[in-house]
Amino acid sequence: MNTLSNPTSFYETDKAVSEYLLFHYGENNAFLEQGIGPKDALNFAQRCGQLHAPHSIDRNRALDLGCAVGAAACELSKTFETVVAIDYSQALIDAAQNLINSDKTIINVTSEGELTTEVEISLPSLTHPDRIEFQQGDAMNLTPDLGIFDFVLMANLIDRLPDPRKCLENINSIVAPNGILAITSPYTWLEEYTPRTKWLGGFLRDDQPVRSFDTLNEILTNHFTLLSAENMPFLIREHCRKNQFSVAQATLWQKK
């Protein structure tokens, strides 16, 4: 992986926008063009937007923090009356807003080498665009007037923050009593995004391994009760014969 002087600038590029639109909204055959591969790794954003489903909570307001191009927010809009979707990248927010305004868009994806293929991306059926509010914002510095939410989703966000502990220590203030915080992450800690001293896990301390899940539990346990932990695979397409396969851990926490 190339080291970037400002790694967040990647998310402002056309390449990032296309990759995320495909990741969030692409049809299954865009990932498994040869007809083989891990089908349970598809539709990751939609599965994130369904994590609240087994639980009995109010469904007035949901927050998709680190929403990228918004497929999880679209899923949440099917159930929640209001969905606020925030991402640091203005380009990703613009792409999400453009899609819900127009229903469809055409993107170019790499097929082989310098060859590309046009792919049509469509807004998922049953989405309620009128319930979704996209905002550019910083998960590290949320505005005081944001309000509280019955469900907060942080999908594959914490290992791309400069100080994930700071974000998590403050998150309880926006989760309603009995509300749920859902965190997914493959715990891919990289110094390009998070200084080594701010990693939640993936290192030795006093010759003992520090795991990200254990640190999450330490940070959140004062305000939340752990409801569940499960594995959530996902695919990110590189070209027609190569996908990145990863497994995020999804943990759900209920506000005390």
Side-chain angles (χ1 to χ4, degrees):
M1 180 176 181
N2 293 329
T3 300
L4 303 173
S5 57
N6 179 13
T8 59
S9 64
F10 167 72
Y11 298 103
E12 302 299 331
T13 65
D14 292 341
K15 177 178 173 60
V17 170
S18 291
E19 286 182 358
Y20 271 89
L21 283 169
L22 189 71
F23 178 38
H24 276 226
Y25 300 101
E27 299 290 338
N28 291 357
N29 59 11
F31 298 90
L32 307 181
E33 288 194 26
Q34 319 311 318
I36 55 176
K39 294 181 180 180
D40 59 347
L42 301 173
N43 303 310
F44 178 75
Q46 288 77 9
R47 286 183 283 128
C48 287
Q50 296 164 0
L51 285 170
H52 64 92
H55 303 281
S56 179
I57 59 172
D58 291 335
R59 286 178 169 81
N60 297 314
R61 302 187 79 225
L63 172 64
D64 185 1
L65 189 57
C67 66
V69 291
C74 291
E75 190 67 29
L76 290 167
S77 76
K78 300 174 184 180
T79 310
F80 288 84
E81 294 301 316
T82 300
V83 179
V84 179
I86 298 175
D87 200 274
Y88 191 77
S89 166
Q90 186 65 58
L92 296 182
I93 288 294
D94 289 345
Q97 188 65 57
N98 289 339
L99 183 60
I100 67 169
N101 288 344
S102 60
D103 291 336
K104 294 182 180 180
T105 189
I106 300 293
I107 61 173
N108 286 303
V109 300
T110 300
S111 55
E112 180 182 341
E114 297 177 350
L115 302 177
T116 61
T117 302
E118 284 191 348
V119 174
E120 184 178 82
I121 298 298
S122 299
L123 192 69
S125 61
L126 304 181
T127 297
H128 292 270
D130 56 307
R131 298 180 179 181
I132 307 172
E133 178 186 346
F134 287 108
Q135 301 179 12
Q136 189 281 330
D138 184 356
M140 303 291 304
N141 296 286
L142 297 174
T143 58
D145 60 351
L146 199 56
I148 61 173
F149 298 89
D150 304 301
F151 181 71
V152 174
L153 172 66
M154 300 173 67
N156 293 4
L157 174 66
I158 60 171
D159 57 3
R160 291 298 176 264
L161 294 176
D163 192 346
R165 177 182 287 272
K166 175 186 174 183
C167 179
L168 292 168
E169 287 177 342
N170 294 330
I171 203 72
N172 73 87
S173 65
I174 63 169
V175 182
N178 299 316
I180 289 176
L181 168 67
I183 300 172
T184 76
S185 178
Y187 306 137
T188 306
W189 301 107
L190 297 170
E191 289 190 277
E192 295 98 307
Y193 297 96
T194 311
R196 168 67 176 70
T197 57
K198 301 294 186 180
W199 292 4
L200 299 186
F203 57 89
L204 293 175
R205 180 189 294 139
D206 300 327
D207 295 325
Q208 298 298 314
V210 177
R211 305 292 185 187
S212 302
F213 172 75
D214 294 331
T215 305
L216 279 179
N217 194 57
E218 169 206 323
I219 295 170
L220 296 174
T221 191
N222 287 337
H223 299 284
F224 295 89
T225 300
L226 177 65
L227 292 178
S228 63
E230 63 178 285
N231 291 319
M232 288 186 63
F234 62 93
L235 287 180
I236 297 178
R237 186 186 193 276
E238 289 192 22
H239 57 74
C240 68
R241 292 183 177 273
K242 183 180 180 184
N243 292 294
Q244 295 179 24
F245 176 78
S246 303
V247 180
Q249 183 180 50
T251 56
L252 269 64
W253 310 81
Q254 189 159 37
K255 180 77 172 289
K256 295 179 180 178

